[in-house]
Amino acid sequence: MITNASLIEDINVKGLEQPIEVSLVKVKDVDGILEYNLQVRSEIEVNPKPITLEWKVPAINVKGVWKPTTDFNKRIQADWELDHMESRISIDAPVINLFGHDDSNVLTFACSNAINKLELNARIREEDNNFYCHITFFIEQNYPIKYFNTKIRLDYRKIHFSESLKDVSRWWEEFEALKPTHVPDIAKMPLYSTWYQFHQDLDCDVLLEECKMAYELGYKAVIIDDGWQTNDNNRGYDYTGDWEPDRIPNMKEYVAQVHATGMKIALWYSVPFCGKKSKAYKKFKGKFLTENHRWAPVFDPRYPEVREYLINIYSKALKEWNLDGFKLDFIDDFRLYVDTPTHKGDGRDYASINAAVDCLLTDVARALQEINPEVFIEFRQKYTGPAMRKYGNMFRAFDCPGDATMNRIRIADIKMLCGNTAPHSDMVTWHKDEPVEIAALQLINTLFGVPQLSIFLTKASEEEKKMIAFYTQYWNDNADTFMEGIFIPSKPLANYPIKRTIKGNTTIIGVYDNVIANLDNGSKTIHFLNGKIENELIINNKDDFGMYHCTIFNCQGVIVRTEKVHLIKGVLSLEVPSCGIVILKK
């Protein structure tokens, strides 16, 4: 049992040096939650060296360690292995959770400073079987300060680990510097993307037909990804930076044609990149964080003229082309490189890259929302932390083409921290010869987030289109439960084989492996998603929940059976088609 006293006694401050004074003061100790205020002061401006807060936690009932973007790797690490987790404005989020064998929270610790670069970890030491946790500040402090202040939160309540993480998200929202932006309705609707089927080889006539079909199937917006700005098909970024619609020269007219299909439209921009074949490269020569990036030179946002240029690019596109949204990509490439100047001056009004990124994105969001308050802005992992909620209203799982399991994991990891920001799947795609029951795995694994689709609908079989239509309609019909319900993902080390969401009298349970799904409440409406290829669901009723009318659908929405089912206490086996859905109504 972790006690307040053990945590307080074990917190050590390391890295102290004159003339800096550091104070760590407990400001809250209520019902299993501790908060500390960390202050750093100096009489004169100094470049502080790294300062570390370190404490230990007994390794009792710890099954794994949850970090925002570790994907499959939620195992326990020894203190002699692997690098530490990095958190900054556009990478991860400053939070780590130790979860138990029963999915309980053992300890969740978080920091309110989501802008600056921090280093965090929780690793076991074999000599004493304790977890040694730490947060290190001033990793990239290349400019002088006299004062620094931040808060640390430690939560050791015995609650479900996901609830502890969701509480951290709500805690971040309390800080003025981390207030989330408005989330328009369109950000919470299924979306069609051009990337996995077109890549850079866009055919505008074909895309219009795709938009018509996507809208009929229940998709409400399209993101035109890389390729609209150039006729170059080499999957490179040599021509980024100018953002002139070379492939779609009559962009305003084309946007109107897309709108005529019923779809909203967003364009992709690789925000940091300025290709060497662009006009912007010559204009901003010498104002890059690096020119040695593997893709393209990276704009230095510490120059006010760079920020102004980028803001004007997006504002002009929104206003003149009548866009509805933006996919702002590669934000995580705004970082310190080996050849990056580290000081303020020479035209740079910031020394901190992270602070400059915050300024840039704050001004981008403000400028776009002044033109269209309902504009939607998509960011993807790893830049889905609390600071990014200030500017973006859609967070997408990092690219995982054809990987249904990874999509499911990443959706859950995003969803637990993103509050009301819309959590989106990576775009769903599959091989053209994939059996429809297997292709259905790609979609059914996305349903606890907002589905995104990226296949050629004009080339899809009738069976595929029926499957897509069924799942999309099902998601749209139950969007409120998926988006607003209490979300509970189970067994993070097993890749969340069961997810559930509960709102009002409706419970939806997704089962993605051959496991027993526990049912512990008798909602009036209960849905089971058989997100696997086996034709059986095994349910363990914790009580006698009474008689239900049962309808079972296959993956194309065909009703294969209706019957009455008595949910008596104990184990119940249901025959359900692969990727089918069960709807029980009392």
Side-chain angles (χ1 to χ4, degrees), residues 454-473:
S454 191
I455 69 163
F456 274 119
L457 294 170
T458 49
K459 299 178 182 179
S461 68
E462 288 304 311
E463 290 77 13
E464 287 174 313
K465 284 186 277 192
K466 287 178 182 177
M467 181 265 288
I468 294 167
F470 171 57
Y471 284 129
T472 310
Q473 184 63 52

Side-chain angles (χ1 to χ4, degrees), residues 352-581:
S352 167
I353 298 168
N354 295 316
V357 171
D358 182 39
C359 177
L360 168 65
L361 294 179
T362 296
D363 291 346
V364 165
R366 181 184 297 117
L368 297 181
Q369 288 170 347
E370 285 177 357
I371 299 168
N372 178 5
E374 300 300 301
V375 65
F376 64 93
I377 298 175
E378 182 196 274
F379 294 133
R380 63 162 170 82
Q381 289 172 306
K382 289 186 172 180
Y383 39 96
T384 52
M388 302 306 290
R389 292 185 64 199
K390 297 165 58 179
Y391 338 108
N393 39 48
M394 295 164 52
F395 284 173
R396 179 176 63 80
F398 184 66
D399 303 37
C400 49
D403 193 336
T405 303
M406 185 63 83
N407 221 348
R408 178 176 80 243
I409 293 168
R410 288 174 172 169
I411 289 167
D413 288 343
I414 290 173
K415 191 174 176 109
M416 284 184 281
L417 287 185
C418 76
N420 70 335
T421 303
H424 279 243
S425 75
D426 184 36
M427 299 84 72
V428 166
T429 188
W430 56 82
H431 191 277
K432 61 182 179 63
D433 295 327
E434 185 79 277
V436 68
E437 294 83 6
I438 306 299
L441 285 169
Q442 300 294 334
L443 265 171
I444 202 169
N445 274 275
T446 71
L447 297 184
F448 285 82
V450 184
Q452 289 198 14
L453 183 71
S454 191
I455 69 163
F456 274 119
L457 294 170
T458 49
K459 299 178 182 179
S461 68
E462 288 304 311
E463 290 77 13
E464 287 174 313
K465 284 186 277 192
K466 287 178 182 177
M467 181 265 288
I468 294 167
F470 171 57
Y471 284 129
T472 310
Q473 184 63 52
Y474 173 78
W475 193 90
N476 283 330
D477 289 344
N478 295 280
D480 191 50
T481 303
F482 280 121
M483 297 298 288
E484 307 296 335
I486 300 170
F487 174 60
I488 308 170
S490 299
K491 303 184 185 304
L493 262 179
N495 304 324
Y496 306 122
I498 295 178
K499 293 181 178 182
R500 67 188 70 212
T501 183
I502 304 165
K503 184 173 186 196
N505 291 317
T506 299
T507 297
I508 301 176
I509 301 174
V511 183
Y512 299 99
D513 210 336
N514 291 325
V515 294
I516 296 173
N518 290 321
L519 184 64
D520 52 14
N521 72 81
S523 298
K524 288 185 178 179
T525 301
I526 304 171
H527 299 187
F528 286 96
L529 316 180
N530 184 28
K532 49 194 175 65
I533 60 173
E534 290 77 16
N535 297 321
E536 183 183 35
L537 276 176
I538 300 177
I539 304 161
N540 180 27
N541 300 304
K542 294 292 187 177
D543 204 342
D544 188 337
F545 297 121
M547 192 70 70
Y548 284 77
H549 179 75
C550 172
T551 305
I552 300 176
F553 301 84
N554 69 12
C555 69
Q556 296 179 57
V558 176
I559 297 175
V560 298
R561 193 166 72 256
T562 59
E563 59 187 356
K564 288 187 177 179
V565 174
H566 190 182
L567 298 184
I568 60 173
K569 185 176 181 178
V571 175
L572 170 69
S573 174
L574 283 178
E575 184 179 346
V576 183
S578 173
C579 293
I581 293 179

Side-chain angles (χ1 to χ4, degrees), residues 168-444:
V168 168
S169 179
R170 288 186 279 266
W171 178 67
W172 280 326
E173 292 178 14
E174 297 173 5
F175 294 92
E176 193 60 37
L178 299 176
K179 294 289 184 186
T181 191
H182 168 63
V183 182
D185 289 342
I186 190 63
K188 297 178 281 188
M189 296 180 183
L191 185 149
Y192 177 86
S193 169
T194 65
W195 182 242
Y196 286 140
Q197 72 277 46
F198 287 100
H199 288 99
Q200 288 180 316
D201 194 16
L202 277 173
D203 184 315
C204 296
D205 293 333
V206 172
L207 179 54
L208 282 177
E209 291 304 310
E210 292 286 311
C211 287
K212 291 175 186 176
M213 294 186 68
Y215 184 77
E216 291 171 0
L217 290 169
Y219 293 82
K220 305 302 181 185
V222 58
I223 290 180
I224 301 182
D225 213 294
D226 191 5
W228 65 266
Q229 80 289 356
T230 178
N231 288 306
D232 177 58
N233 295 334
N234 292 316
R235 284 188 70 171
Y237 299 91
D238 285 346
Y239 294 92
T240 55
D242 294 337
W243 303 110
E244 296 171 351
D246 290 349
R247 192 181 294 269
I248 313 176
N250 299 314
M251 181 62 81
K252 183 176 182 179
E253 179 184 331
Y254 190 74
V255 169
Q257 290 176 304
V258 171
H259 283 158
T261 70
M263 299 280 270
K264 302 287 188 182
I265 180 172
L267 293 181
W268 168 89
Y269 289 83
S270 60
V271 179
F273 296 156
C274 185
K276 291 186 176 181
K277 294 182 181 179
S278 69
K279 291 177 286 188
Y281 173 73
K282 297 176 182 176
K283 178 179 179 180
F284 291 101
K285 183 71 174 172
K287 297 177 181 177
F288 299 112
L289 293 171
T290 184
E291 291 202 32
N292 297 314
H293 192 283
R294 63 175 180 152
W295 296 122
V298 178
F299 278 121
D300 189 339
R302 296 174 297 176
Y303 288 93
E305 57 268 38
V306 168
R307 299 196 301 271
E308 182 182 12
Y309 175 75
L310 293 173
I311 294 164
N312 288 338
I313 287 282
Y314 313 136
S315 299
K316 182 179 178 183
L318 181 63
K319 189 180 299 183
E320 293 187 0
W321 297 337
N322 197 24
L323 298 176
D324 304 289
F326 294 83
K327 174 181 176 178
L328 300 181
D329 212 352
F330 294 103
I331 307 298
D332 46 342
D333 282 298
F334 283 129
R335 62 180 180 85
L336 184 68
Y337 297 87
V338 292
D339 53 341
T340 302
T342 57
H343 60 280
K344 184 178 177 181
D346 299 325
R348 295 181 293 274
D349 58 356
Y350 285 91
S352 167
I353 298 168
N354 295 316
V357 171
D358 182 39
C359 177
L360 168 65
L361 294 179
T362 296
D363 291 346
V364 165
R366 181 184 297 117
L368 297 181
Q369 288 170 347
E370 285 177 357
I371 299 168
N372 178 5
E374 300 300 301
V375 65
F376 64 93
I377 298 175
E378 182 196 274
F379 294 133
R380 63 162 170 82
Q381 289 172 306
K382 289 186 172 180
Y383 39 96
T384 52
M388 302 306 290
R389 292 185 64 199
K390 297 165 58 179
Y391 338 108
N393 39 48
M394 295 164 52
F395 284 173
R396 179 176 63 80
F398 184 66
D399 303 37
C400 49
D403 193 336
T405 303
M406 185 63 83
N407 221 348
R408 178 176 80 243
I409 293 168
R410 288 174 172 169
I411 289 167
D413 288 343
I414 290 173
K415 191 174 176 109
M416 284 184 281
L417 287 185
C418 76
N420 70 335
T421 303
H424 279 243
S425 75
D426 184 36
M427 299 84 72
V428 166
T429 188
W430 56 82
H431 191 277
K432 61 182 179 63
D433 295 327
E434 185 79 277
V436 68
E437 294 83 6
I438 306 299
L441 285 169
Q442 300 294 334
L443 265 171
I444 202 169

